[in-house]
Amino acid sequence: MAEFDSEDASKKMFGPLSFEESNFEKYSPSLTQECLLCNSKFVLKSETDCFLKHIFEVHNLVVEDFQSIERLDKYISYWKSRFEVSALENIIPSVKIEGTNQYYFILSILLAEDKQIRHKIRLDCALEQQEFERTIADFKRCCLFCKLQFEGKYAEYVKHLSVQHNLQLGKPENLVYISKFLNVIEDKLTSLKCIYCEKTFTDRNVLKEHMRKKLHKRINPANHLYDQFYIINYLEADRNWQHLQKEDDILPITLDNDSDHEWSDWNEKDQEIVCLFCDYKDLSLSNICDHLKGKHTFDFQDILKTMDFYQKVKLVNYIRRQMHICHCIKCDHSFDLKETLTEHLKDEKHYAIPETKVFDQPEYYFPTYENDTLLYYLEEINETELISSFTMVKIRINTRTSRIVALCSIANFINAADRVIMPITIVPMTDLYKWSLHWQGWILSAFAFGYFTSQLLGSFSANRLGAKNVLFVSVLVWSVATFVTPMLAESIPMLVTCRIVLGFAEGLGLPTIFHLFANTVPVEERSRAFSYLLASGSVGQTVASVLCPHLEWQACFYWFGSFGFIWLLLWCVFYPGNEGNMDDSIPLQMPKVVSRSIRFTDLICNKPLWAIYIAHFAMNWSSYIIMQWLPTYLARSLGANAKSISLTAVPYVVNSLVGIVAGHVADSLLMDNWSVLSVRRLMTSIGLIGPGLFLAFFGVVDNLLAAVILVSISMGLCSCNSAGHLSNHVDIAPNHAGTTFAISNTIATIPGILCGPITAELVTAASGKWFPVFLVAALVNFVGAFAYFTHSIATQVL
């Protein structure tokens, strides 16, 4: 390698260099501006003081508080046009200086016209800036909290801060000068200062914990520094931005994602990464690597694979130094122009690193450019997946959450399977014990009596005794009740009692699981978590529907009761302990206000909650009709034999598959900047109106295959509710989701109690016709969809 010519003055380097920073917002005044009373010209950007001195000494005119004028050039142009029409003394009152004959004219806000034009200019500038921020689609900035390299619209960035990091700035359409706003916040965070209370802390972890526990991830309404960033202050001079801080103006409070990885790489500055060989810049590391590989055939990621961190730093600084002094990085040949060097690198295929000993020297520890952002990312290359600037967030379910979701889903699988065994086996049991249709109805509905009574108990016991313990006991009890059912079948009172106990134990399950999910599953993963949970229930119903017609009816209860005992062992072995700072009693959901004791009336006298309750009631009405009576209907009305009864599994298969897809679609819509409320309403509408229509059609067909297809579509669409109103509990009552779901499920269990006797009565009154049963179910669904769509919200109320 040739020696560096230290005498070449053109190539000397005195300390680190700096890349030229991009400037995205330029609202500088005009280059020159005529005086408002004569033809003298001034460069306002650099000669403001000369201009003010000129109008004072030559024209006896004073502009009061000129620093607050948004665009001085527009202000001057306005008054110049006014003074061309009317004399100065006819517009502005004069003030005589005591002891002299000098009269001075003062332009101030005491003059109504002056106040009006200042306000108009300020408003015009704000609206111009806001329109710019709304339309520009290539805004680039690093996230204030995580490693995300964002590119897109300002509104999407603000929503990312709200949804992913719970930083509440307000609706994007109410903000202006957003870049400056973000800079203010970033400066405070970089200075280890709380953005709400302004306290300074010793390190980032202490600051992070303070903002989380004190709910200080928001803007202080009393801090007037932030007035300039809310458009309301430009529209109405007497209103302050905190007037907008109402519930409907705050983006939904979501998960306070305070894991260490989000803060450990807090970006100090919003800077672009510069290509090693040309002037190309980008905020995304992945785009820079793609550019190096595609444009310069320099596979940066592959080259760094075998290097340690310090070698990576030295290599980058070496290449920067060589390119600055116009030396080839491979052969060290020198060139006069950078263009010539670039041609050489391309023609000689010298976009390659030299021997390690060339750049692995102590002198290259020090950065060639002091603001070289690429150096900040060297640890990430080849260690973690590069994050695309076009992807807002990669959703990851951590190991702990995965285990909880999986174990709870298996529990719900057994729960759902145990409850559909009786509706299937009741056909051979009726043949054996000669039960009437009304007795069948009461046996089937007995489950719902027990289920009804335990919902609230499940929620409160989960809070007091721990969700882990309550779920263990509930699975134990319902497994025992399932296992002993054949032994009690000869006595209807004993059988009904056993069914009530089964319902009571299963009623503890879902509220407890909702309590777990509200405290362990991040908001951006909840739609999928609930979808997997409810889909597992459908799988359980499917498996039971397939297996039970082919087994002796007694064996059905023994097998599925045993599955519950096996689950108890899995729960004890695989349930995750309190890893890290996670604890079932500490909600991950960051509430708007400090959690307070709530009264029972708060849970009952609440329209948004009643929207959920009614939707849940409607969904369960048709679900209980299908679950309790589908095997009987197919056998008695459509002539299905024991083998054909297995077709009752098809609706549950479709329900499972559509449920999982619906959860992923809902989360995708949220990532595409749909509001949480829009997603919840869409999924609930599909989940209620669709099943209602197909259930009505199902009631009029007399072909077994057509009937199975229609009821399968109905059940499939019904599963969309898992990403709709069923997920809405943790949106509006994150700290009380178990309780609200318990109330909802209690109300929604009423159809389970009523469907048995009412169906028997309707079929008997209609001379064996089942259409009135399905028509009533469809109407109930339509009413539920309307109630939810008109009264639902997705912001926290409890």
Side-chain angles (χ1 to χ4, degrees), residues 557-621:
F557 294 99
Y558 294 142
W559 274 107
F560 284 95
S562 300
F563 290 160
F565 300 140
I566 295 172
W567 181 90
L568 295 174
L569 295 175
L570 295 176
W571 184 248
C572 293
V573 173
F574 293 107
Y575 182 82
N578 291 329
E579 300 162 3
N581 294 323
M582 300 281 286
D583 192 286
D584 293 342
S585 63
I586 302 175
L588 294 179
Q589 182 81 12
M590 174 66 78
K592 285 182 189 175
V593 295
V594 177
S595 181
R596 59 182 176 85
S597 299
I598 62 167
R599 298 168 297 176
F600 189 72
T601 52
D602 294 331
L603 302 171
I604 297 299
C605 304
N606 189 296
K607 281 186 178 180
L609 283 174
W610 268 105
I612 297 175
Y613 300 158
I614 293 171
H616 199 170
F617 178 95
M619 179 191 77
N620 271 19
W621 186 281

Side-chain angles (χ1 to χ4, degrees), residues 8-42:
D8 188 348
S10 65
K11 293 182 172 58
K12 282 185 179 180
M13 294 175 57
F14 300 94
L17 308 170
S18 289
F19 290 118
E20 182 180 352
E21 297 184 11
S22 300
N23 188 359
F24 294 99
E25 299 177 15
K26 293 185 178 180
Y27 289 95
S28 59
S30 304
L31 292 176
T32 59
Q33 180 70 43
E34 283 190 351
C35 171
L36 68 176
L37 290 167
C38 66
N39 295 326
S40 300
K41 294 184 178 181
F42 300 87

Side-chain angles (χ1 to χ4, degrees), residues 611-784:
I612 297 175
Y613 300 158
I614 293 171
H616 199 170
F617 178 95
M619 179 191 77
N620 271 19
W621 186 281
S622 55
S623 296
Y624 272 113
I625 292 290
I626 299 302
M627 183 179 72
Q628 292 183 357
W629 291 105
L630 182 61
T632 301
Y633 174 72
L634 295 181
R636 306 304 185 199
S637 296
L638 299 181
N641 54 32
K643 185 179 292 186
S644 299
I645 292 296
S646 298
L647 290 173
T648 57
V650 176
Y652 300 122
V653 173
V654 176
N655 182 276
S656 302
L657 297 176
V658 176
I660 293 173
V661 172
H664 283 272
V665 169
D667 284 341
S668 297
L669 292 176
L670 289 174
M671 298 306 298
D672 288 338
N673 297 316
W674 279 51
S675 68
V676 176
L677 179 59
S678 297
V679 173
R680 301 295 182 236
R681 285 179 172 175
L682 173 65
M683 290 300 172
T684 301
S685 297
I686 296 173
L688 291 177
I689 296 175
L693 291 173
F694 283 96
L695 208 55
F697 298 147
F698 168 73
V700 298
V701 299
D702 56 5
N703 179 272
L704 179 60
L705 180 60
V708 170
I709 291 173
L710 289 172
V711 77
S712 298
I713 296 174
S714 176
M715 287 294 287
L717 295 177
C718 183
S719 66
C720 292
N721 286 297
S722 61
H725 64 84
L726 292 177
S727 295
N728 202 195
H729 289 279
V730 292
D731 297 327
I732 68 176
N735 298 321
H736 309 283
T739 304
T740 59
F741 180 79
I743 295 173
S744 180
N745 218 19
T746 299
I747 295 171
T749 304
I750 295 174
I753 299 173
L754 299 179
C755 279
I758 288 179
T759 298
E761 191 63 38
L762 286 174
V763 173
T764 302
S767 302
K769 300 293 184 182
W770 286 74
F771 178 69
V773 176
F774 302 121
L775 181 61
V776 169
L779 293 176
V780 171
N781 271 23
F782 298 154
V783 172

